[in-house]
Amino acid sequence: MSIGPLDVCRIGTLRLFYMERTTSENDNYCQEENNKENNKENLVTNLNYDIAAKKRKKDFLNNNTKTQYFYPEKWIYVHKGSTKERHGYCTLGEAFNHLDFSTAILDSRRFNYVVRLLELIAKSQLTSLSGIAQKNYMNILEKVVQKVLGDQQNIRLIKELLQTLYTSLCNLVQGVGKSVLVGNINFWVPRMETILDWQQQLNNIQITRPAGKGMTLPDLPLCLQLNILQRLTDGRDIVCLGQVSSDLQLLSEDRLLWKKLCQYHFTERQIRKRLIMSEKGHLDWKKMYFKLVRCYPRREQYGDTLQFCRHCHILSWKGTEHPCTANNPESCLVSLSPQDFINLFRF
């Protein structure tokens, strides 16, 4: 069968049409595949962006929340092991979350107790707190600072607490590679900046004399002034008070005053080990006090404390009712110092 010139022309046209169609189909297919890949990439990118944005928002809200986690019970059962009724154990962070420390700082009988507890946690227990407990810690600390800024009382006490916390955080942040802190390091740096800001605010406090011509401490008889000095339990307060007037300066150097202060805080054995004689051959009780403070812990006394029931193992503030099955629940209660509270959760 012979092929004429017209047939050759038709075959060439068909081949050209087929090649163009095939090329177009291939291009469309490749374009569709590229579009699918781009859509997948865009979808993954958008998804990652949404997840990251939600995480940043969640972290921001969690980091900046100012509310404490409240629980209906005002007590907590402290269990140190698993039983048939309970599994796991109670941690320091759980107890810190359950017990109402935000309200406790408003009570003058409990204020010093809470501040001392915050200081002990800042020294050695920050890494044992959960994320929620750490946020509660910072929220309670902020309320303490705001209270002191408002009433201008216990300024030095809170300054020492903030300095202790800042020093501990500096040491912990240096070991961030060891995951010693709960949460992102970017959250702790602003918290440290906040602590510095609080310290600056406390340093800027100017205590002004109340308006009016009321009676002041130097106006009282010397016997009453000495009686007031004898009720101070911190030697630094006595020294500061002695700088007010010449009469108070004379009273603040009273040997009997410093002797009673040493005997209040320290045992006879501790005192005998740190005897210091004055130039006149007498015991220098003032120098002995400050030397004893550097060597031994001072006696702590609080108006109100946490209490632990030895019968049912429940921890609560003094005066709080708890479900106890003992015949005489009051005889089972033991008052806990801040350090005893910390030791209760050392397993």
Side-chain angles (χ1 to χ4, degrees):
M1 179 178 180
S2 61
I3 300 176
L6 183 59
D7 296 330
V8 173
C9 183
R10 290 177 178 175
I11 293 173
T13 302
L14 291 174
R15 285 181 178 178
L16 181 61
F17 173 77
Y18 176 76
M19 292 177 61
E20 291 178 353
R21 181 177 179 182
T22 303
T23 303
S24 177
E25 291 178 353
N26 290 337
D27 291 342
N28 292 336
Y29 176 78
C30 293
Q31 186 176 0
E32 290 178 358
E33 292 297 322
N34 291 333
N35 290 336
K36 290 181 180 180
E37 293 296 330
N38 292 334
N39 291 336
K40 289 181 180 180
E41 293 179 359
N42 293 335
L43 182 61
V44 172
T45 303
N46 293 335
L47 184 60
N48 291 336
Y49 177 80
D50 292 340
I51 293 176
K54 291 180 180 179
K55 185 177 184 303
R56 286 195 299 269
K57 183 178 180 180
K58 179 181 178 182
D59 291 341
F60 178 81
L61 292 176
N62 288 340
N63 185 53
N64 290 276
T65 180
K66 299 300 180 183
T67 58
Q68 187 184 1
Y69 292 82
F70 291 102
Y71 295 85
E73 303 88 0
K74 296 184 179 298
W75 48 265
I76 184 172
Y77 175 76
V78 181
H79 51 106
K80 296 188 176 183
S82 298
T83 63
K84 293 181 179 179
E85 296 79 13
R86 293 177 179 269
H87 295 281
Y89 55 90
C90 180
T91 64
L92 174 64
E94 291 173 346
F96 191 79
N97 291 337
H98 276 75
L99 300 174
D100 191 4
F101 288 101
S102 293
T103 304
I105 62 176
L106 303 178
D107 190 337
S108 58
R109 299 171 301 171
R110 300 177 180 178
F111 180 83
N112 288 351
Y113 186 94
V114 176
V115 171
R116 177 58 178 166
L117 182 58
L118 294 176
E119 183 181 6
L120 291 176
I121 292 176
K123 285 182 178 180
S124 60
Q125 301 297 320
L126 276 178
T127 56
S128 66
L129 298 181
S130 63
I132 294 177
Q134 288 178 357
K135 284 184 289 186
N136 283 343
Y137 181 95
M138 295 301 298
N139 292 339
I140 293 172
L141 181 60
E142 181 178 3
K143 292 180 180 179
V144 169
V145 174
Q146 296 302 323
K147 181 180 183 300
V148 173
L149 291 174
D151 57 25
Q152 298 184 347
Q153 298 180 12
N154 302 299
I155 297 176
R156 185 180 66 234
L157 187 66
I158 306 307
K159 283 183 179 180
E160 294 174 353
L161 168 60
L162 293 178
Q163 184 59 41
T164 300
L165 177 60
Y166 187 80
T167 302
S168 298
L169 287 178
C170 288
N171 295 332
L172 293 176
V173 167
Q174 293 176 357
V176 68
K178 302 177 183 178
S179 300
V180 294
L181 285 173
V182 176
N184 195 315
I185 185 62
N186 295 326
F187 289 161
W188 282 101
V189 173
R191 289 176 180 175
M192 296 175 66
E193 294 175 353
T194 301
I195 294 173
L196 293 177
D197 182 60
W198 288 340
Q199 289 178 322
Q200 186 63 38
Q201 293 181 45
L202 293 174
N203 291 332
N204 294 336
I205 289 181
Q206 297 292 333
I207 300 178
T208 57
R209 183 173 179 175
K213 296 183 179 180
M215 181 176 290
T216 60
L217 182 61
D219 298 331
L220 298 175
L222 293 179
C223 60
L224 292 181
Q225 295 182 24
L226 181 59
N227 193 354
I228 292 175
L229 264 66
Q230 290 176 347
R231 297 178 183 276
L232 299 177
T233 59
D234 194 329
R236 293 172 297 179
D237 293 332
I238 298 177
V239 173
C240 292
L241 197 56
Q243 300 172 355
V244 175
S245 65
S246 57
D247 291 336
L248 288 174
Q249 171 65 28
L250 183 63
L251 293 177
S252 65
E253 298 295 335
D254 184 72
R255 292 182 60 251
L256 183 59
L257 173 66
W258 290 100
K259 179 180 178 180
K260 290 182 178 180
L261 191 61
C262 289
Q263 294 175 341
Y264 173 79
H265 284 290
F266 310 105
T267 64
E268 290 294 332
R269 182 178 181 182
Q270 292 172 339
I271 293 175
R272 287 197 300 268
K273 288 185 177 180
R274 307 294 173 179
L275 296 178
I276 299 178
M277 304 299 295
S278 64
E279 296 179 356
K280 297 181 179 181
H282 302 296
L283 289 176
D284 195 331
W285 290 100
K286 182 177 179 180
K287 290 184 179 180
M288 287 171 55
Y289 168 80
F290 287 105
K291 186 173 183 179
L292 288 166
V293 166
R294 292 192 296 269
C295 300
Y296 308 105
R298 292 181 300 175
R299 176 183 176 183
E300 297 180 4
Q301 188 172 6
Y302 305 98
D304 199 358
T305 64
L306 289 170
Q307 58 185 8
F308 181 71
C309 182
R310 292 173 295 182
H311 178 77
C312 57
H313 294 185
I314 284 180
L315 181 66
S316 62
W317 284 104
K318 185 179 293 184
T320 303
E321 296 183 359
H322 66 277
C324 186
T325 58
N327 294 330
N328 186 9
E330 295 296 329
S331 63
C332 302
L333 297 177
V334 179
S335 295
L336 299 180
S337 67
Q339 187 60 58
D340 293 335
F341 175 82
I342 299 294
N343 295 338
L344 196 62
F345 301 95
R346 289 180 175 174
F347 306 116

